[in-house]
């Protein structure tokens, strides 16, 4: 057991490397699957009690559902149960490398005023789109300085960070959407997603200025810090255009670590990479556990649906704009009360796929549910981070953004109906 813990980071890294080999069909997908579950076992002790409970319940319910379905003659393949979210885990490992490109300037004075609000909102979305969750810690720790992070600073950070889920190919939400909406064309959601992200920035910035009258300490954005995220996002789009047969997920798994090694600023690349593998990668246990458990849970839900097709039969429905809006509202609501978006997506996908929805519209539904609920909830991962680390009450987080969630829900419904549904 101690030996397993000692090499946890290498297990995590091997999950990515052997997944890429399995894509080339040089090896079986069984090996990276075993590595992923081995890494999950090694990192289990690092999980918070609440995360352990959530993951355990997902596994118990999923396993019980699979056993019951098996007793009815419905069996799922081992890949459907244990490996369904493997591509997403590989992507998560790959984008974790981008943390090495992040730099913190603690000497510059915190800017104030409307421009500070706008730049902070824009910066956290663009940087968060590539560097992911670590950017929240960098921004929030710097902004609170010697005083407490304010509720207005909190919603500027969480809303706009989460809004990157609408358009960033490096966001885990994109990986989830690509898996649970088979056939989704990410490039078709890019422009609507960028528009939604821009609306989130403008809406939140205006609200923050009205509430603070400009008395807002923002983050000191440097232009050079935006170069890497823009370069990487552009690279994904370019390479996908050149080689459309290579999936977005695989492109990200290849580009993120490669670009990091080339662009990272450090005295010793070797030392920085070794420290990252040995000390940083073992800290992503909650993501591994959640996504592996969600795979079992999703397979269990799918098996139950196959057992009782008449009960879950939605043949009388079509994937209309009205159904899109209704399902999105439900997913946002359960997200706000603490259900992780990947869980609600895992439930919704097997129920909606028999309706033969347009894959891109279905993907946009999942991206929207993730972006809105993660930015408005005090009980999912991002909200819990704000509560535990920065003492922002859960009630404050929800009340701060309930109107935002309603507005963005209405806007997403309109975008789907007018733009994607045309």
């Amino acid at each position: 057991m101690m030996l397993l813990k000692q090499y946890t980071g290498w297990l995590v890294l091997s999950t990515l490397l052997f997944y890429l080999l399995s894509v080339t069909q040089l090896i079986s997908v069984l090996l990276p699957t075993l590595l992923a579950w081995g890494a999950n076992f090694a990192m289990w002790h690092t999980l918070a009690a609440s995360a352990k409970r959530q993951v355990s319940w997902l596994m118990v319910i999923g396993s019980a559902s699979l056993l019951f379905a098996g007793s009815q003659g419905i069996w799922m393949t081992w890949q459907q149960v244990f490996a369904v979210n493997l591509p997403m885990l590989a992507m998560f490992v790959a984008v974790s490398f981008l943390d090495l490109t992040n730099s913190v300037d603690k000497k510059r004075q915190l800017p104030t005023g409307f421009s500070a609000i706008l730049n902070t909102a824009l910066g956290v979305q663009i940087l968060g789109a590539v560097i992911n969750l670590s950017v929240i810690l960098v921004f929030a720790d710097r902004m609170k300085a010697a005083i407490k992070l304010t509720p207005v600073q909190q919603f500027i950070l969480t809303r706009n960070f989460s809004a990157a889920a609408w358009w960033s190919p490096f966001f885990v939400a994109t990986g989830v959407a690509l898996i649970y909406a088979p056939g989704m064309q990410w490039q078709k959601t890019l422009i609507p997603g960028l528009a939604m992200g821009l609306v989130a920035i403008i809406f939140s910035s205006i609200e923050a200025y009205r509430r603070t009258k400009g008395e807002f300490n923002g983050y000191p954005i440097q232009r050079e810090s935006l170069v890497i995220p823009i370069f990487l996002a552009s690279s994904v789009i370019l390479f996908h255009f050149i080689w459309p047969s290579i999936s977005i997920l695989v492109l990200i798994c290849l580009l993120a670590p490669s670009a990091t090694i080339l662009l990272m600023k450090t005295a010793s690349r070797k030392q920085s990479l070794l420290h990252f593998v040995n000390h940083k990668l073992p800290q992503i246990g909650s993501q591994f556990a959640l996504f592996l458990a969600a795979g079992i849970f999703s397979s269990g839900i799918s098996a139950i649906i196959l057992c009782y097709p008449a009960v879950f039969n939605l043949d009388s429905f079509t994937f209309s704009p009205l159904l899109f809006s209704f399902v999105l509202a439900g997913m946002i609501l359960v997200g706000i009360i603490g259900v992780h978006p990947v869980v609600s997506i895992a439930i919704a996908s097997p129920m909606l796929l028999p309706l033969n929805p347009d894959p891109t519209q279905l993907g946009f539904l999942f991206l929207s549910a993730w972006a809105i609920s993660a930015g408005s909830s005090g009980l999912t991962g991002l909200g819990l981070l704000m509560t535990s680390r920065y003492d922002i009450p859960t009630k404050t987080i929800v009340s701060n953004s309930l109107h935002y969630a309603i507005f963005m829900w209405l806007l997403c419904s309109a975008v789907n109906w007018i733009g994607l549904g045309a």
Side-chain angles (χ1 to χ4, degrees), residues 10 41 178 298 322 336 390:
W10 294 99
F41 179 72
L178 289 167
S298 173
L322 183 61
I336 288 175
Y390 303 107

Side-chain angles (χ1 to χ4, degrees), residues 161-176:
F161 170 79
S162 302
W166 267 302
W167 59 270
S168 171
F170 294 94
F171 230 72
V172 176
T174 300
V176 176

Side-chain angles (χ1 to χ4, degrees), residues 45-56:
H45 71 284
T46 66
L47 270 62
S50 58
K52 288 181 179 178
R53 282 194 299 271
Q54 184 179 16
V55 168
S56 297

Side-chain angles (χ1 to χ4, degrees), residues 317-327 355 357 361 413 416-417:
F317 295 90
T318 59
F319 194 66
S320 63
L322 183 61
L323 184 62
F324 176 101
S325 184
F326 178 77
V327 173
L355 301 182
Q361 286 184 282
S413 301
N416 170 68
W417 179 41

Side-chain angles (χ1 to χ4, degrees), residues 169 185-187 190 232-248 251 255:
Q185 293 180 285
W186 168 79
Q187 61 271 29
L190 178 59
L232 284 168
S234 302
S235 298
V236 170
I237 296 168
L238 175 64
F239 281 108
H240 186 62
F241 178 77
I242 297 172
W243 292 295
S245 59
I246 302 178
S247 74
I248 293 287
L251 277 177
L255 285 172

Side-chain angles (χ1 to χ4, degrees), residues 152-206:
V152 175
Q153 288 175 320
Q154 171 267 311
F155 77 65
I156 282 291
L157 293 177
T158 53
R159 286 184 198 173
N160 291 291
F161 170 79
S162 302
W166 267 302
W167 59 270
S168 171
F170 294 94
F171 230 72
V172 176
T174 300
V176 176
L178 289 167
I179 289 172
Y180 286 96
M184 172 192 171
Q185 293 180 285
W186 168 79
Q187 61 271 29
K188 288 188 177 179
T189 64
L190 178 59
I191 299 303
L194 283 168
M196 294 301 304
L198 182 60
V199 169
I201 290 170
I202 296 171
F203 184 98
S204 299
S205 297
I206 292 173

